[in-house]
């Protein structure tokens, strides 16, 4: 059921910075998500400079570069949402 999926994937929002403490929970979750995706994106971009990446097929390197572009878009949209929270 949808409730079961939610319970299995739900992430507790804890250890939030003081400046977020007064925000509604859904907004704090967006901020946490942006941090998580940004961290994964940083790791992916760093991977591009490794010999392991260079040893991948051109098709796989292209897929990873494409993935990074989608991740950049995702982080950008999350940041736009955060900016809108702060503007409200």
């Amino acid at each position: 059921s949808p409730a079961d999926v939610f319970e299995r994937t739900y992430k507790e929002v804890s250890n939030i910075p003081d400046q977020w403490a007064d925000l509604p929970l859904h907004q704090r979750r967006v901020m946490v998500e942006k941090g998580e995706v940004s961290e994964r994106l940083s790791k992916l971009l760093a991977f591009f400079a490794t010999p392991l990446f260079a040893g991948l097929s051109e098709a796989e390197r292209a897929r990873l570069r494409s993935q990074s572009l989608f991740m950049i878009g995702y982080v950008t949209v999350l940041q736009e949402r955060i900016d809108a929270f702060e503007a409200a």
Side-chain angles (χ1 to χ4, degrees), residues 38-72:
S38 294
E39 183 178 343
R40 288 193 305 271
L41 175 59
S42 292
K43 289 177 181 179
L44 178 58
L45 295 175
F47 178 64
F48 290 169
T50 67
L52 181 57
F53 177 78
L56 297 174
S57 70
E58 178 53 41
E60 184 62 8
R61 290 193 310 267
R63 285 188 289 268
L64 287 167
R65 286 190 292 267
S66 180
Q67 177 180 327
S68 73
L69 295 175
F70 282 103
M71 291 173 78
I72 289 167

Side-chain angles (χ1 to χ4, degrees), residues 3-79:
D4 292 335
V5 172
F6 176 81
E7 290 302 324
R8 284 194 312 270
T9 60
Y10 176 79
K11 288 188 176 184
E12 186 67 37
V13 177
S14 58
N15 300 324
I16 61 166
D18 290 340
Q19 73 263 26
W20 298 358
D22 294 332
L23 293 175
L25 184 58
H26 74 280
Q27 291 180 352
R28 286 183 270 161
R29 285 191 180 124
V30 170
M31 295 176 128
V32 168
E33 183 175 358
K34 190 228 174 203
E36 291 172 350
V37 176
S38 294
E39 183 178 343
R40 288 193 305 271
L41 175 59
S42 292
K43 289 177 181 179
L44 178 58
L45 295 175
F47 178 64
F48 290 169
T50 67
L52 181 57
F53 177 78
L56 297 174
S57 70
E58 178 53 41
E60 184 62 8
R61 290 193 310 267
R63 285 188 289 268
L64 287 167
R65 286 190 292 267
S66 180
Q67 177 180 327
S68 73
L69 295 175
F70 282 103
M71 291 173 78
I72 289 167
Y74 187 22
V75 168
T76 300
V77 170
L78 291 171
Q79 185 60 55

